[in-house]
Amino acid sequence: MTETTNLYIDGEWVPAEDGSTFAVENPADTTETVTEYAKGSTEDAQKGIDAANEAQADWEGMPAPDRGTILRETAKLLEERKEDLTEQLSREEGKTLSEASPEVQRAIDIFYYYAEKAADNAGTRKGPSGGRTSVYTKREALGVAGLVTPWNYPIAIPAWKIAPALATGNTIVLKPASAAPGPAASIVQALEDAGIPDGVINFVPGSGSDVGAELTSNDGIDAVSFTGSSEVGHHVYDAATDNMARAQAEMGGKNPAIITDSADVEEAVDIVGAGAFGVTGQACTACSRAIVHTDVYDEFVEGIVEYAESIDIGPGVEDLGMGPHVTQSELESTLEYVDVAANEGATHETGGERLEGDEYDDGYYVSPAVFSDVERDMRIFQEEVFGPVLAVTEVDDFEEAIEASNDSDFGLSSSVVTDDLNEAHEFIERTEAGVAKVNEKTTGLELHVPFGGKKDSSTNTYREQGDAGLDFFTEIKTVYLNT
């Protein structure tokens, strides 16, 4: 019988109020149920919000170094459990072990980082206009944060929301995505074991229409941080801000890589291939458009096709080159876009087929796809696929490449592969993206730098990670002290 992971509300692991549960299957082998989870309802979300409000004043009143001590102990516990967490992530989400392990390490590092930053959340001192007055600012917690996290980075993204929220004195109600909630539950377990007070963090998986809607509309929520699709993100942001909560939403991407005529094509293939097909293309920063100078176009297409066809595909725990999609619906969406691209007239170079036979029959496997001769008005050029599908577009010069790369409603991450320093600087100045990379893949970002997008990739209110993560979860009070 599969063990059930309960909700965590006010310091206790409890079943859902109505007894509902849901099962998470292994996307590499859907005959295996990984874990069963209690499915929270609106009422459960309300209980979590009430508990977080009850605990907030005492948590914020705790000396910041003491909050940091709990985060540091959490990091240590996650580190001790890294091997099990890596396997859990792989079995629920589908990532290869080589992809899951660095993600777990990222979560560990984030908790260590914010453990130190907890004591470094002071304001600034300003010069007074006269007299014996001291003028300074101090940072204060917003209150209760509703965190809504996705399935594609099921431990890293919860970590980079939870840790700064806690470091700055906020309490939390967390709703993870139902496709892979286990790694987030493991963070909560580590926090409990590290001694976090009751009510400071509450874990309520459930549907967006019930738990998610309550987190964005309840008067007891002071901040909402969301990562997910653009469609849902806009709804979350509108609902939260209508309720006067501070909100941020990081959403989709259609991330380009420009390959100039000065680029080392072999290097460009490796950079684009890793960005396009890593984590099965299930990343908001995945490279989905390669915009290639005509002088190196044929060589690049040949190279990237060879790269895609060389990837070994199989269960994440077998640690091959690429794992499955996370769900049937995600697989079907990718297959649909493959059909759309072919029907629009793009040249189908390779891949985009559901894999069948032997171990593939019970999993959500697709071969990495490459389309060439992609025009800018095609859906495959404009719309986010969220799968291992690369659209390759030919351009005549650098100016056309910049224009094509910016021809998108999204603006999350972009890159250029070039040996020309002037082109690199021009790209940095003109790319319409929140993250600009030179001779690097579009995916991946260090934990201490701000992360966020432009256009439809982000509400562009606050960035995440680093000091920007602290900014979102705090408000500034200006103090005049006349002695």
Side-chain angles (χ1 to χ4, degrees):
M1 184 175 179
T2 303
E3 183 179 351
T4 299
T5 297
N6 282 327
L7 314 179
Y8 186 72
I9 297 175
D10 202 15
E12 294 185 6
W13 294 94
V14 295
E17 183 67 24
D18 63 4
S20 295
T21 63
F22 65 96
V24 173
E25 298 173 340
N26 184 343
D29 179 4
T30 58
T31 64
E32 176 195 354
T33 296
V34 181
T35 309
E36 190 173 79
Y37 293 90
K39 183 179 181 181
S41 63
T42 299
E43 187 173 356
D44 294 308
Q46 290 169 347
K47 289 180 179 179
I49 293 167
D50 290 344
N53 274 280
E54 183 69 25
Q56 198 277 320
D58 286 345
W59 176 247
E60 185 177 8
M62 179 184 290
D66 292 347
R67 294 198 299 268
T69 296
I70 292 175
L71 297 186
R72 192 176 304 109
E73 181 61 24
T74 300
K76 290 178 182 177
L77 291 170
L78 293 174
E79 197 163 27
E80 292 170 4
R81 302 166 185 176
K82 181 179 178 181
E83 185 175 348
D84 289 341
L85 288 170
T86 297
E87 182 175 345
Q88 177 191 44
L89 196 160
S90 179
R91 290 175 68 211
E92 283 201 0
E93 197 273 348
K95 282 187 172 79
T96 67
L97 294 178
S98 293
E99 294 167 337
S101 180
E103 182 182 340
V104 174
Q105 187 61 51
R106 175 64 164 256
I108 294 165
D109 293 343
I110 285 168
F111 273 93
Y112 275 128
Y113 174 81
Y114 283 110
E116 305 309 314
K117 298 296 285 187
D120 188 28
N121 191 41
T124 58
R125 184 165 296 277
K126 301 294 184 180
S129 57
R132 297 179 179 179
T133 302
S134 295
V135 181
Y136 62 94
T137 65
K138 65 189 297 285
R139 289 185 176 271
E140 297 180 340
L142 291 177
V144 177
L147 309 181
V148 182
T149 60
W151 51 260
N152 62 323
Y153 283 91
I155 194 166
I157 293 179
W160 82 46
K161 295 180 188 292
I162 292 170
L166 294 179
T168 50
N170 298 275
T171 53
I172 292 168
V173 182
L174 169 66
K175 191 201 93 64
S178 296
S186 295
I187 291 178
V188 175
Q189 182 66 67
L191 283 162
E192 181 187 43
D193 294 343
I196 200 161
D198 294 350
V200 172
I201 187 162
N202 302 273
F203 172 77
V204 189
S207 70
S209 58
D210 291 332
V211 178
E214 190 64 23
L215 293 184
T216 58
S217 62
N218 191 296
D219 289 340
I221 292 290
D222 302 291
V224 177
S225 181
F226 168 88
T227 300
S229 71
S230 295
E231 180 182 359
V232 177
H234 284 293
H235 175 75
V236 166
Y237 182 80
D238 289 344
T241 53
D242 282 349
N243 204 39
M244 297 300 290
R246 180 177 292 183
Q248 65 179 176
E250 293 300 330
M251 301 174 285
K254 190 66 181 173
N255 311 292
I258 295 172
I259 316 303
T260 72
D261 57 344
S262 68
D264 180 318
V265 176
E266 186 175 343
E267 178 186 23
V269 166
D270 288 340
I271 288 172
V272 173
F277 307 129
V279 298
T280 319
Q282 297 177 134
C284 55
T285 54
C287 178
S288 58
R289 295 182 293 151
I291 298 166
V292 187
H293 193 284
T294 187
D295 289 353
V296 295
Y297 180 80
D298 290 340
E299 183 182 357
F300 176 83
V301 170
E302 181 180 354
I304 199 66
V305 168
E306 183 178 343
Y307 185 106
E309 292 176 345
S310 72
I311 296 173
D312 292 324
I313 303 168
V317 294
E318 292 184 10
D319 205 24
L320 302 176
M322 194 175 87
H325 269 301
V326 68
T327 61
Q328 177 73 25
S329 62
E330 292 296 328
L331 172 64
E332 289 174 353
S333 176
T334 292
L335 296 174
E336 180 181 349
Y337 271 106
V338 169
D339 289 341
V340 166
N343 291 336
E344 286 184 322
T347 300
H348 189 177
E349 297 284 353
T350 190
E353 300 164 345
R354 178 163 191 174
L355 302 182
E356 299 176 335
D358 298 328
E359 63 185 354
Y360 296 134
D361 283 342
D362 294 317
Y364 304 128
Y365 295 100
V366 65
S367 55
V370 177
F371 285 89
S372 63
D373 303 320
V374 175
E375 302 295 333
R376 287 162 59 176
D377 60 352
M378 293 181 178
R379 289 178 60 192
I380 198 72
F381 186 93
Q382 295 290 343
E383 298 177 13
E384 184 178 38
V385 177
F386 224 69
V389 179
L390 179 68
V392 186
T393 298
E394 184 175 2
V395 293
D396 291 330
D397 54 36
F398 184 75
E399 182 65 27
E400 185 182 356
I402 288 287
E403 291 177 0
S405 70
N406 288 336
D407 184 10
S408 172
D409 291 335
F410 297 102
L412 184 52
S413 181
S414 63
S415 72
V416 65
V417 185
T418 181
D419 281 343
D420 186 321
L421 188 59
N422 289 328
E423 287 179 342
H425 283 298
E426 185 75 4
F427 164 79
I428 292 168
E429 291 299 317
R430 296 177 60 190
T431 187
E432 295 172 358
V435 178
K437 294 190 169 188
V438 177
N439 296 326
E440 298 243 354
K441 62 182 180 179
T442 56
T443 51
L445 205 72
E446 294 184 71
L447 64 89
H448 62 290
V449 298
F451 174 71
K454 298 183 177 183
K455 302 181 183 178
D456 207 28
S457 290
S458 173
T459 50
N460 210 12
T461 44
Y462 289 84
R463 293 298 194 232
E464 296 192 281
Q465 300 196 135
D467 288 336
L470 301 173
D471 291 342
F472 175 74
F473 289 107
T474 56
E475 56 189 356
I476 296 173
K477 177 181 286 182
T478 300
V479 178
Y480 282 77
L481 177 61
N482 191 323
T483 59

